Amino acid sequence: MTRKAPAEDPGDARLRVGPPKDYAAGIPAVTSSLRHAGTQMGARRGLLTLLRVNQKDGFDCPGCAWPEPEHRHRAEFCENGAKAVAEEATLRRVTPEFFAGHSLEELAGRSDYWLGQQGRLTHPMYRPAGSDQYRPISWEDAFAVLARELAALDHPDQAAFYTSGRASNEAAFVYQLFVRMLGTNNLPDCSNMCHESSGSALVETIGIGKGSVSLEDLYEAELILVVGQNPGTNHPRMLSALERAKQRGARVIAVNPLPEAGLLRFKNPQRPSGLVGGGAQLADLFLQIRLGGDQALFQAFNRLLLEAEDDAPGSVLDTSFITSHTHGFEALAEHARKTSWEDVLEATGLSEDEIRAAFREVLAAEKIVVCWAMGLTQHRHSVPTIRDVVNFLLLRGNIGRPGAGLCPVRGHSNVQGDRTMGIYEKPGEDFLDALGAEFGFEPPRHHGHDAVETIRAMRDGRVKVFVGLGGNFVAAAPDTEVTEQALRGCRLTVQISTKLNRSHAITGEQALILPCLGRTEADLRPSGPQLVTVEDSMGMVHLSRGRLAPASDHLRSEVEIICGMARATLGARAATSAVPARRVPWEEFEADYDRIRDRIARVIPGFEEFNDRVRRPGGFTLPHPPRDERRFTTATGRANFTVNPLDILRVPEGRLLLQTLRSHDQYNTTIYGLDDRYRGIHQGRRVLFVHEDDLAARGLADGDLVDIVSEYEDGVERRAPGFRTVAFPTPRGCCAAYFPETNVLVPLDSTAAISNTPTSKSVVVRLEPAAGV
Ligand SMILES: Nc1nc2c(c(=O)[nH]1)N[C@H]1C(S)=C(S)[C@@H](COP(=O)(O)OP(=O)(O)OC[C@H]3O[C@@H](n4cnc5c(=O)[nH]c(N)nc54)[C@H](O)[C@@H]3O)O[C@H]1N2
Ligand SMILES: Nc1nc2c(c(=O)[nH]1)N[C@H]1C(S)=C(S)[C@@H](COP(=O)(O)OP(=O)(O)OC[C@H]3O[C@@H](n4cnc5c(=O)[nH]c(N)nc54)[C@H](O)[C@@H]3O)O[C@H]1N2
Ligand SMILES: [Mo]
């Protein structure tokens, strides 16, 4: 399977490659955000909008899920948050006239960058069966199309309802309610492709799938490990927190195959010194690890901890915590002692000296926080890796006390909240009981499809209707060719979206585009302006309120759209259902979101008096038993040590491991621009970062054009043609390229054990000189 570069990709005639930067933010970041805001929004409107980001009476930044410090600076926005806002507040519009002038076939040939640059969707649009074009449709007719196709299914499990992590709590709650009343748990979400491995590992070991630290803990930590994460680009405000922790004496270790700018040095644009000074040195130690080597690293730390305890009994491990709060220590200890240095050095590509130097930092620190993101979650052994991180922290009682803990850094700004609201294909019995009791129906109990299973089910004709609440499923999912075929095989695909993207171009027989308000926009309902709520990466819930005039008069809020879908679809069904549902007041819900929050308060623990508490300054923090009271709601009632066989990613002779990651100028599948400044890339995206010796070993040199060919046990050859090689400081045997261009290379069946997350950070590839060159 080959995926050609889109026609107008610069391809990259204008591509320039310079040296990578060793610091993040500072003056270029500030000028870049203002420039971006200026071109998209008009300079004055741009500045006014940015001033509202994350302010008390403003909207939650749609950029990332990093929490807000309590004392907000006027204008605490970061460069990439500014780009996310500009992208949504753009003055460009995709109107019915636009669709009249562009066939689906033409749109499918365009790049993600081009599609996103066309602007905001303005009208509901419908692609009838047999047509190659969208045409306008009224909202009521659009809902009727959906209701008709859902009613035509043999079973509700033949529909799947995807969610991307920007949906508010209120939208997510009514969405899952609608889907479960329909009769299915097919609620795949972006989390399935993102932090699912973290959730899987944490629920089992500590009883809750969320991180255990607050910002205050981070400031208080003595050692912070930043593992498999590129905060300078993806969570820029985290750099301010790291800087603050360092000022209080914390040490920072970065574990990453790439020397990411933000991990090395940081110039804080919020402070005058950041604009002029040399910037703060962030990482005290940089472990340039091989892809997938982290499990071995933490197993080595665990072995060294046990040995240090042997040398000085009673001084290293937190024996009283282990005795009173954990389960399975003996088995873990026995396993950890057998960890082989040979394996560790092979898996990590590090030297024993480097690991011992890092371990000295570990031993010197009373309070340790481990932060991680996609570098840990998107491998086949991600769940065991994160379990070994938990083992590491448990050994010294580093969970559930100030300054210490687990910090999975979430991606989308409300991805954590959506899961709390019940967007999950494997809901717990307690949740279903509460939901069913509140609304008087019997929710489906059998588990639904996650993202990968949804693709398989569409491919095999078992799912025929696909609905996307935000996101860009076709571009974000693995195995692009397979996913495209899967979606094309549907009877109907529906996208609730703010902006044009590939998922509007690659559709089922029929397709609907339902355009919605974004976070920045005022949501005016008959009862007054509506507020929504979100939950950040550290379990804090707060309000978000948009102020801008909507991009078009025809837009509806996500809540309104979902309630409309529910009314059109469930109206006829309620009477025939075995357990007649109590009438759900969808009209009240869409008229006044307080009424939705009243229900959330009754169904979901931790949301008592939701409407009151969320209106207090700063909102409120959800309970987290391990963090709050060292209580672990696992099967054993304790925090579980786990024994995990070491997995080493070996590749056949002559092959490389490819990681697919984000450039500085993109938000997942939304491409803001064609630069990746910190890595020295300008005006192009089809680049492949490879070690110069690996290039030389293949008779290649920096600047050569290659095809990347992925090899997998299913025997299918997947090819991404025409990438310019860039000699780069990555470990030997490991290479890197941007997603979504390389998603064609990620095999659908190559997923993490247990979490079923695509292995987007370890794809076995070979390089071939580009055909026709
Ligand atoms: N501006 C911007 N912000 C974003 C996003 C965006 O696209 N743009 N996306 C949002 C979302 S949804 C998410 S999930 C987060 C993603 O945030 P990140 O996880 O930071 O995103 P990636 O670009 O995938 O970067 C992965 C990092 O892990 C490293 N890495 C890869 N494999 C390994 C490994 O095996 N071991 C180790 N130790 N390191 C490894 C890579 O070199 C890279 O630095 O960001 C969120 N914020
Ligand atoms: N190869 C590879 N693949 C990956 C990853 C990787 O690292 N490598 N990362 C994975 C990760 S971590 C994630 S989270 C997924 C992301 O997958 P998704 O969440 O599906 O993708 P996004 O690109 O974030 O979605 C962007 C679209 O969302 C819509 N949108 C934006 N704001 C709103 C809003 O407020 N409301 C609504 N309704 N729509 C809105 C716009 O139309 C926009 O085009 O991708 C995954 N895919
Ligand atoms: Mo993500």
Side-chain angles (χ1 to χ4, degrees):
M1 286 188 275
T2 300
R3 177 122 202 122
K4 287 209 215 66
E8 82 292 355
D9 244 17
D12 286 329
R14 290 182 293 144
L15 174 65
R16 280 182 297 116
V17 177
K21 299 265 186 300
D22 68 350
Y23 64 87
I27 290 174
V30 173
T31 49
S32 164
S33 42
L34 291 180
R35 190 174 349 108
H36 199 83
T39 53
Q40 291 265 332
M41 299 191 256
R44 198 183 119 75
R45 182 175 138 106
L47 203 58
L48 289 177
T49 308
L50 293 180
L51 290 176
R52 288 266 178 221
V53 186
N54 289 341
Q55 298 303 317
K56 276 188 202 65
D57 55 350
F59 57 89
D60 180 65
C61 180
C64 72
W66 189 256
E68 273 312 301
E70 245 165 57
H71 307 290
R72 297 170 185 179
H73 296 258
R74 216 19 172 162
E76 228 226 28
F77 60 86
C78 74
E79 177 196 1
N80 278 342
K83 289 186 206 156
V85 169
E87 195 71 23
E88 180 174 301
T90 178
L91 297 173
R92 300 174 192 151
R93 297 289 177 266
V94 175
T95 59
E97 293 71 47
F98 171 92
F99 286 108
H102 297 275
S103 69
L104 279 152
E105 192 190 344
E106 185 203 330
L107 293 177
R110 296 290 187 169
S111 71
D112 296 286
Y113 179 51
W114 187 91
L115 291 169
Q117 289 297 304
Q118 304 312 302
R120 287 288 297 277
L121 297 156
T122 59
H123 288 68
M125 302 297 297
Y126 176 50
R127 176 217 179 166
S131 165
D132 192 34
Q133 215 133 32
Y134 280 102
R135 63 178 194 218
I137 187 172
S138 73
W139 280 103
E140 295 320 310
D141 289 349
F143 296 147
V145 169
L146 174 68
R148 182 184 71 212
E149 292 306 324
L150 289 175
L153 299 176
D154 301 327
H155 192 279
D157 285 340
Q158 290 178 338
F161 297 83
Y162 176 70
T163 309
S164 164
R166 263 198 206 173
S168 64
N169 288 333
E170 291 72 15
F173 185 79
V174 289
Y175 189 58
Q176 61 82 32
L177 173 63
F178 158 52
V179 171
R180 295 199 162 106
M181 293 193 79
L182 192 67
T184 179
N185 282 311
N186 283 347
L187 284 159
D189 67 353
C190 66
S191 217
N192 298 147
M193 304 186 274
C194 182
H195 262 294
E196 199 67 60
S197 304
S198 307
S200 300
L202 296 182
V203 167
E204 185 192 353
T205 53
I206 67 162
I208 177 170
K210 301 180 183 183
S212 74
V213 298
S214 65
L215 269 184
E216 206 45 52
D217 290 321
L218 213 70
Y219 302 148
E220 266 191 51
E222 292 174 12
L223 177 66
I224 302 170
L225 289 116
V226 183
V227 191
Q229 198 201 338
N230 180 21
T233 286
N234 298 313
H235 304 91
R237 288 178 299 115
M238 177 177 171
L239 299 185
S240 315
L242 290 176
E243 186 191 37
R244 188 152 160 196
K246 291 218 63 163
Q247 285 163 351
R248 294 217 205 157
R251 307 273 292 170
V252 173
I253 299 181
V255 185
N256 201 302
L258 305 180
E260 305 286 26
L263 293 173
L264 302 183
R265 255 186 326 138
F266 170 49
K267 300 184 186 181
N268 191 338
Q270 314 290 344
R271 292 192 293 109
S273 63
L275 296 176
V276 289
Q281 169 95 30
L282 279 187
D284 298 284
L285 214 63
F286 169 44
L287 296 180
Q288 188 162 25
I289 198 164
R290 280 178 48 88
L291 289 171
D294 308 87
Q295 188 193 12
L297 176 68
F298 281 94
Q299 290 203 350
F301 285 160
N302 292 343
R303 172 179 161 171
L304 290 168
L305 283 172
L306 289 160
E307 290 174 356
E309 173 76 10
D310 292 344
D311 291 345
S315 72
V316 176
L317 304 186
D318 187 341
T319 317
S320 81
F321 172 77
I322 291 173
T323 313
S324 55
H325 287 93
T326 71
H327 174 267
F329 169 74
E330 292 304 329
L332 181 268
E334 192 191 325
H335 179 73
R337 284 177 199 285
K338 286 190 295 212
T339 302
S340 119
W341 273 106
E342 204 185 321
D343 286 348
V344 168
L345 301 187
E346 181 192 353
T348 60
L350 301 168
S351 70
E352 190 172 328
D353 282 351
E354 284 176 292
I355 295 175
R356 286 189 185 275
F359 182 70
R360 282 193 290 279
E361 302 277 352
V362 168
L363 215 47
E366 283 287 319
K367 299 181 269 185
I368 303 181
V369 172
V370 181
C371 304
W372 74 89
M374 296 304 100
L376 282 204
T377 64
Q378 297 176 334
H379 296 291
R380 71 177 183 208
H381 59 319
S382 286
V383 177
T385 299
I386 297 163
R387 285 182 188 153
D388 275 320
V389 171
V390 174
N391 287 335
F392 168 74
L393 290 177
L394 288 178
L395 283 172
R396 300 186 78 202
N398 271 315
I399 296 181
R401 67 183 163 84
L406 295 150
C407 184
V409 182
R410 304 280 162 178
H412 268 301
S413 50
N414 197 39
V415 62
Q416 186 159 314
D418 290 344
R419 189 53 72 82
T420 307
M421 291 298 119
I423 302 294
Y424 191 25
E425 75 282 359
K426 302 184 193 71
E429 292 295 316
D430 289 353
F431 174 81
L432 292 179
D433 290 345
L435 189 73
E438 177 66 24
F439 294 100
F441 77 113
E442 182 46 53
R445 300 279 163 169
H446 58 285
H447 289 171
H449 297 314
D450 63 17
V452 164
E453 290 161 353
T454 296
I455 298 167
R456 290 190 189 124
M458 290 190 292
R459 177 194 63 194
D460 302 341
R462 288 178 284 120
V463 160
K464 296 173 179 167
V465 174
F466 176 94
V467 179
L469 174 54
N472 181 4
F473 190 73
V474 77
D479 230 344
T480 311
E481 300 290 325
V482 176
T483 301
E484 288 191 358
Q485 280 313 311
L487 282 158
R488 287 189 197 281
C490 286
R491 284 274 301 147
L492 171 69
T493 53
V494 182
Q495 304 291 339
I496 302 169
S497 319
T498 51
K499 298 203 61 177
L500 187 66
N501 66 41
R502 185 162 302 283
S503 298
H504 305 121
I506 312 290
T507 74
E509 235 182 316
Q510 306 165 76
L512 287 167
I513 297 176
L514 306 180
C516 67
L517 296 172
R519 286 258 176 94
T520 52
E521 290 166 324
D523 185 356
L524 298 172
R525 309 292 305 142
S527 70
Q530 297 300 309
L531 311 163
V532 293
T533 64
V534 293
E535 174 186 343
D536 67 31
S537 202
M538 293 177 178
M540 285 155 65
V541 181
H542 56 89
L543 288 173
S544 174
R545 174 176 182 177
R547 304 265 175 174
L548 293 182
S552 137
D553 291 342
H554 304 275
L555 302 185
R556 291 193 178 181
S557 75
E558 290 177 344
V559 167
E560 214 185 339
I561 294 171
I562 295 158
C563 291
M565 298 194 320
R567 270 187 282 122
T569 308
L570 297 175
R573 285 175 43 97
T576 59
S577 147
V579 187
R582 212 171 284 150
R583 204 185 71 82
V584 176
W586 303 106
E587 297 81 1
E588 280 173 35
F589 286 173
E590 67 182 24
D592 181 356
Y593 305 170
D594 277 0
R595 300 288 79 78
I596 302 175
R597 284 184 284 270
D598 288 342
R599 300 306 188 104
I600 293 172
R602 291 157 59 108
V603 172
I604 302 177
F607 285 85
E608 298 77 15
E609 298 173 59
F610 190 6
N611 274 309
D612 285 342
R613 288 198 295 152
V614 81
R615 284 183 166 84
R616 294 179 199 155
F620 63 95
T621 306
L622 288 173
H624 188 288
R627 180 198 62 208
D628 304 338
E629 41 182 329
R630 282 199 156 176
R631 193 160 59 80
F632 300 93
T633 52
T634 60
T636 62
R638 290 164 165 250
N640 290 319
F641 283 106
T642 52
V643 170
N644 308 292
L646 179 62
D647 192 357
I648 304 178
L649 301 183
R650 296 190 174 92
V651 302
E653 185 66 28
R655 308 306 192 256
L656 297 170
L657 266 185
L658 168 77
Q659 64 153 320
T660 59
L661 42 47
R662 292 152 174 81
S663 81
H664 192 64
D665 272 4
Q666 74 183 82
Y667 194 92
N668 300 336
T669 70
T670 299
I671 312 302
Y672 300 139
L674 300 175
D675 295 349
D676 190 10
R677 201 173 69 241
Y678 296 157
R679 298 192 185 106
I681 305 300
H682 302 277
Q683 292 303 302
R685 291 181 47 87
R686 290 186 90 84
V687 290
L688 176 68
F689 301 97
V690 198
H691 193 285
E692 59 180 344
D693 295 346
D694 281 326
L695 285 175
R698 287 163 181 73
L700 295 166
D702 178 278
D704 285 350
L705 265 195
V706 296
D707 289 357
I708 314 175
V709 186
S710 132
E711 298 176 350
Y712 187 63
E713 61 198 34
D714 60 7
V716 177
E717 197 170 272
R718 297 168 172 86
R719 180 180 296 262
F723 280 69
R724 181 206 190 279
T725 59
V726 176
F728 204 77
T730 170
R732 286 290 309 264
C734 301
C735 59
Y738 304 131
F739 107 89
E741 286 83 349
T742 47
N743 283 39
V744 65
L745 300 170
V746 184
L748 183 65
D749 293 335
S750 176
T751 60
I754 301 169
S755 65
N756 210 26
T757 296
T759 58
S760 307
K761 294 290 189 276
S762 43
V763 184
V764 178
V765 298
R766 64 171 196 269
L767 308 185
E768 289 182 358
V773 176

